[in-house]
Amino acid sequence: MTASRLIAEAVAQEGRYAQAIPMYGTERRGAPVTAYVRIDGRPVRRRDLVHEPDIVIVIDPILSGKPSVAAGLKSGGLLLLNLPKPPEEVEIGGDFLISTVDATTIALETLRRPITNTAILGAFSKVTGIAKLESLKEAILHRFPGEIGERNVEALRRAYKEVYPPKPAKGPLRPGEEEPPHVTGYGVLKSVADWRVFKPVVDLDRCISCRFCWIYCPETAISLVDEKPVIDYDKCKGCGICVHECPVKAIELMRETL
Amino acid sequence: MTLEVMVGNKAAATAAKLSRVQVAVAFPVTPQTTIVEYLNEFITSGEMDCEFINVEGELTAQVVVQTASRVGARTFCCTSGPGCLYMHHPMHDTSSLRLPVVMAVVHRGNKGMQPDHTDLMSHIMTGWMQWYAENNQEVLDTIVMAYRVAEDMRVRIPVAVGYDGYILSYTAEPVDVPEQEEVDDFLPPYKPKPSIMPEDLDLRRLRWWRTPWEEHHKAIVEAKEVIKEVNEEFAKRFGRGYGNGLVEEYRCEDAEAVVVAMGTIASTARDAIDRLRAEGKPIGLVKLKCLVPFPYEEFQRIGSEVDAVGMIDRNVCLGVGGVAYTLIRSAVYDLEERPRVLGFHAGLAGKEVKVSDVERMAEKTLKAARGERVSPLVEWI
């Protein structure tokens, strides 16, 4: 979201029009979301979402490896991924180019947090030339004044230098051959499994059927089968409230393996 | 003027600031919440000299703006979906007391969080004017114009400015922000009527001052002339007009058919019309900006110039039909040669409306204009 806003602000400084559309509902901070940007020489009027992008930027390292992120990408387009390996080693293939940058490492070293919004923009500027490094720097400093801004600019500059140049996508996996990743939307409508960092697991032998987890689950992800909780992992966002409420510690949070 | 990339909610808050709003009252509700945040940022930083009153709900929010407006403050309120519905009862009073309150309604449907126009349209009988904006620039400009129209002594009717939640509220795009002095020249300070100053206060009149139905209805209808006037003056001063203030015609010259759209669908429709015109298809767009008071005369003229009208409603009055569709059919009924009027329900509960969707609706309308059989007459997209 922030990245899309910064692109729009940077190109507006350069005299072009941009529209930055975030797609979200009641997501928590850090959950994967989709944002769209349109850039044009005249005011952008259409208000629908972007279904056939020229460029896809993936800032989440887990989603970066999934070929479905390139679904709809135009022929000859560019896929910019946050991955710690050169484009030749990416397993995604198709009629487009791939560029990679290890934005997570850059963010950890400059911001000391895995927030890759600004780092990825340096790579975007270098490989596309659509927004100048200088205007992105201005946009960042305008939004984050002071030391935080300076550190974000450092992330921007490092990614500008360290990005791997685009190479044709030659990997074996094609977009559209797997289910698209679940980003944005509500648990009742779509799976929110990709939001989880930790997963609650129930020890049924310890469970005393008190129903506390069932009552407190804010996503109604828990149902009772023979008086024992069954978690619907498509609905569970991994908030851990059930773990906290369980009086006999029958639910445990396990690190998700992806 | 300065060009700033901002979201629709910031455009609304900025308009309130530029209009020198003195009392702002709102209860936060998604997707309106960030207007409240921006207003409070402006007030805390000293950019805006305004009292923000925290309330426990929208019903109170409306009562407080009403009271503040009555004692002479320029007031601003903002809400969304369920919050908008919760303030229904005092909204009747605000208009009946002829208080020029301006309120931003960031559309949120009643069947989910995503937008449609059913929240504001549920208030069609409250005696508020209802204007709909298609982009962030129009959100800003319309709110500034709303104060000028609402406070005009010939009008004194509150205005609700609606814009689609999410699609505009959180979307950032460049907005031309006018200078404070320019807005000050355009918008003189507000004077309450009747005066509540002790020397000329008539308590009996103040307490029971309700506009009778017939007079109230006529006042809103007559506001159309003031809306046109103010829109024209705004266009002269700021270089941006919105049709005649009620409707805006886009590429309607020699059109055999027109589609009519409101809010962001009108914005998307412009691209669809450009594509169809490039293919040589004689079809135009009418943007319906002002739903209340309804521009009957404009639709009578447009109806007499084309052979078919296709109304795209982002609403449904359950069991009745599309609100604007019904009104347009009514408007053209007295014409000697009536156009065919088609209806479309699109974008309800935030359903995406693509350029290709509008193209298809426009082509169907053009077919109807050329005498071809089209079915169904009213379609759900």
Side-chain angles (χ1 to χ4, degrees), chain B residues 355-376:
Chain B
V355 176
S356 55
D357 292 328
V358 182
E359 272 183 86
R360 206 166 55 75
M361 293 184 256
E363 295 209 54
K364 181 179 170 187
T365 311
L366 187 60
K367 267 190 190 169
R370 290 176 168 172
E372 285 180 50
R373 210 180 141 270
V374 289
S375 174

Side-chain angles (χ1 to χ4, degrees), chain B residues 94-102 127-131 145-160 190-191 193 209 211-212 214-231 246 290 292-293:
Chain B
T94 306
S95 71
S96 193
L97 292 163
R98 307 290 292 273
L99 298 167
V101 170
V102 173
W128 280 58
M129 291 191 270
Q130 291 191 10
W131 302 349
M145 277 192 270
Y147 282 106
R148 175 72 187 269
V149 173
E151 292 172 7
D152 190 298
M153 286 313 246
R154 294 166 290 172
V155 181
R156 292 282 157 155
I157 299 282
V159 183
Y190 162 57
K191 289 191 189 72
K193 177 196 147 187
W209 199 60
T211 312
E214 191 179 355
E215 187 189 328
H216 196 165
H217 174 65
K218 281 181 182 160
I220 303 180
V221 171
E222 284 163 11
K224 284 192 257 191
E225 289 311 311
V226 181
I227 298 170
K228 288 189 222 171
E229 229 177 83
V230 169
N231 178 68
L246 305 167
C290 174
V292 183

Side-chain angles (χ1 to χ4, degrees), chain A residues 47-241:
Chain A
R47 301 278 160 192
D48 47 357
L49 304 175
V50 178
H51 298 279
E52 290 177 351
D54 296 296
I55 300 166
V56 172
I57 303 174
V58 189
I59 67 175
D60 184 304
I62 294 167
L63 293 177
S64 281
K66 299 191 176 184
S68 59
V69 293
L73 181 59
K74 277 185 194 160
S75 167
L78 172 75
L79 181 59
L80 173 58
L81 303 172
N82 171 17
L83 285 175
K85 56 186 177 187
E88 293 85 351
E89 290 171 28
V90 176
E91 295 198 316
I92 306 169
D95 186 14
F96 47 80
L97 302 171
I98 294 183
S99 189
T100 55
V101 65
D102 187 3
T104 303
T105 302
I106 294 173
L108 285 170
E109 287 173 13
T110 53
L111 309 171
R112 296 191 271 284
R113 292 175 76 181
I115 301 173
T116 50
N117 262 322
T118 43
I120 204 86
L121 293 181
F124 166 72
S125 175
K126 177 72 171 284
V127 291
T128 68
I130 288 172
K132 294 192 187 95
L133 191 65
E134 203 53 28
S135 20
L136 284 164
K137 186 190 124 189
E138 288 300 315
I140 289 172
L141 290 175
H142 180 72
R143 198 178 170 98
F144 308 105
E147 202 211 324
I148 297 175
E150 294 298 339
R151 279 202 240 150
N152 275 286
V153 170
E154 197 193 327
L156 179 85
R157 285 191 201 285
R158 270 195 56 187
Y160 187 86
K161 274 187 226 147
E162 294 174 22
V163 62
Y164 288 98
K167 292 277 156 61
K170 287 188 174 152
L173 302 172
R174 298 272 153 172
E177 284 171 8
E178 43 136 14
E179 213 196 319
H182 296 296
V183 289
T184 74
Y186 314 107
V188 273
L189 303 175
K190 290 178 180 175
S191 167
V192 286
D194 286 337
W195 292 32
R196 276 197 310 269
V197 182
F198 296 97
K199 171 185 188 171
V201 179
V202 187
D203 179 349
L204 292 176
D205 293 337
R206 276 174 130 176
C207 173
I208 54 167
S209 300
C210 69
R211 298 188 176 190
F212 276 22
C213 57
W214 175 75
I215 289 167
Y216 283 102
C217 175
E219 297 296 325
T220 62
I222 300 177
S223 46
L224 295 171
V225 176
D226 297 329
E227 285 300 310
K228 298 280 185 187
V230 175
I231 299 173
D232 178 347
Y233 288 108
D234 277 350
K235 285 186 178 182
C236 172
K237 292 174 180 171
C239 67
I241 290 174

